[in-house]
Amino acid sequence: MGDKKNWVSAADRPELEGNLQYHIRCKPGDIADIVLLPGDPERVPKMSETWDEFKEVGRNREHVTHTGKIRGIDISACSTGAGGGSTASAMEGLATIGAKTFIRVGTTSGIQPHIKPGDLIISSGAVRYDGTSENYVSLNYPAVADYEVVASLVEACERLGYTYHVGITATAASFFCGQNRDGFGGYRQSWFQSRYEDLRAANVVNYEMEAATVLILSSLFKLKAGAIFAVIGNRVTNEFAYGGIEKSIAAATEAAIILKGWEKLKKENNKQ
């Protein structure tokens, strides 16, 4: 797959023969226009096994991609790995071969006391500490979720009866120091705590590592995106319970179905 003789493009936008994308190893026709974006490669089969049918269309590095159908709609899932850099690479490749809507599906820690492990969080926007999106546009540019994707995720949670919260996410470039955790050996800086307290005072609801990148790239590329997270911890109460991931998967999948339904209605009524 990576044999040099199969490389046919220039260094500024490398692709393999047949427009096979450099990082995700998928080509045009491999993916649906709606793509779920988990971080963990092992979460992709957890998603696709809930569909009516699926096949693996790509596997390279941290990126595993499945495409299938559920209730008559086409759907894909592609793992991004952890952090903004690999997420941006995946999105660039997916957008190049036809992806139009992205739903980030991950895990998170709440930073407001009322948010409990097992709840879901839907991002309306994100604070840009991701370290990647600033390479695309000034930090003054807001990371905002597409309103239809947010609405579809809310509708999905309502249909499924899940407890959810909608709010601003903080996307950090680090799981440890960037989220007010000690580094190795107890290493820390004073601003770890002050940033955490400032985010809480500003009513930011959670920490994670990819949403800002997803939201910024989608806005810049005239695509749609949103994010939903399973809460596995609360940094205020120090509660931790690894679970609820099946809820975030179900809600994201339901939201994809809802979005395709709205798209059909808009076409029937000649609306954009």
Side-chain angles (χ1 to χ4, degrees):
M1 183 74 71
D3 194 323
K4 292 179 181 178
K5 68 182 180 181
N6 291 324
W7 290 98
V8 296
S9 60
D12 61 351
R13 198 78 186 186
E15 295 179 346
L16 283 166
E17 187 175 0
N19 301 119
L20 198 70
Q21 296 300 298
Y22 179 74
H23 289 96
I24 59 175
R25 295 299 200 269
C26 296
K27 62 185 184 303
D30 281 343
I31 63 159
D33 60 3
I34 293 184
V35 184
L36 309 185
L37 298 175
D40 185 353
E42 293 188 4
R43 208 164 289 154
V44 172
K46 291 183 183 297
M47 293 176 169
S48 60
E49 69 185 10
T50 70
W51 305 343
D52 299 326
E53 59 181 82
F54 73 91
K55 64 178 179 179
E56 183 172 294
V57 295
R59 179 179 289 269
N60 185 54
R61 302 184 183 186
E62 62 268 55
H63 307 299
V64 174
T65 308
H66 289 186
T67 292
K69 287 183 177 291
I70 181 167
R71 281 185 259 165
I73 75 157
D74 296 324
I75 189 168
S76 294
C78 175
S79 55
T80 64
S86 59
T87 298
S89 297
M91 284 188 67
E92 290 269 8
L94 291 163
T96 298
I97 59 175
K100 304 297 183 187
T101 301
F102 299 93
I103 303 178
R104 159 90 176 110
V105 188
T107 54
T108 192
S109 289
I111 62 172
Q112 298 295 340
H114 65 282
I115 297 172
K116 305 298 183 184
D119 291 354
L120 298 177
I121 289 175
I122 298 166
S123 297
S124 56
V127 181
R128 295 172 56 194
Y129 293 133
D130 58 306
T132 296
S133 65
E134 64 193 75
N135 292 283
Y136 284 82
V137 70
S138 164
L139 285 170
N140 291 323
Y141 189 94
V144 181
D146 178 82
Y147 73 96
E148 287 188 348
V149 179
V150 172
S152 71
L153 288 165
V154 169
E155 175 64 20
C157 289
E158 289 287 347
R159 289 184 184 183
L160 296 168
Y162 295 157
T163 300
Y164 65 93
H165 312 270
V166 180
I168 303 294
T169 289
T171 299
S174 162
F175 181 80
F176 290 98
C177 295
Q179 299 184 41
N180 192 32
R181 294 183 174 99
D182 288 352
F184 174 72
Y187 171 81
R188 68 182 294 112
Q189 297 266 304
S190 60
W191 60 264
F192 297 176
Q193 182 67 22
S194 61
R195 175 187 284 182
Y196 164 75
E197 291 174 355
D198 287 346
L199 289 170
R200 288 198 59 222
N203 296 316
V204 173
V205 295
N206 66 307
Y207 274 133
E208 59 81 63
M209 296 180 65
E210 292 83 25
T213 303
V214 173
L215 301 183
I216 286 292
L217 266 61
S218 66
S219 292
L220 297 179
F221 299 160
K222 297 182 180 180
L223 305 171
K224 296 181 178 182
I228 187 166
F229 304 97
V231 178
I232 61 173
N234 185 293
R235 300 298 303 284
V236 182
T237 64
N238 210 26
E239 297 172 273
F240 183 87
Y242 194 85
I245 294 167
E246 70 287 344
K247 293 181 183 178
S248 63
I249 291 172
T253 303
E254 187 70 20
I257 295 166
I258 291 167
L259 284 167
K260 294 303 286 188
W262 290 347
E263 181 182 298
K264 181 180 178 182
L265 285 172
K266 285 192 292 183
K267 286 181 178 179
E268 291 173 351
N269 289 280
N270 296 315
K271 295 183 178 180
Q272 295 295 321

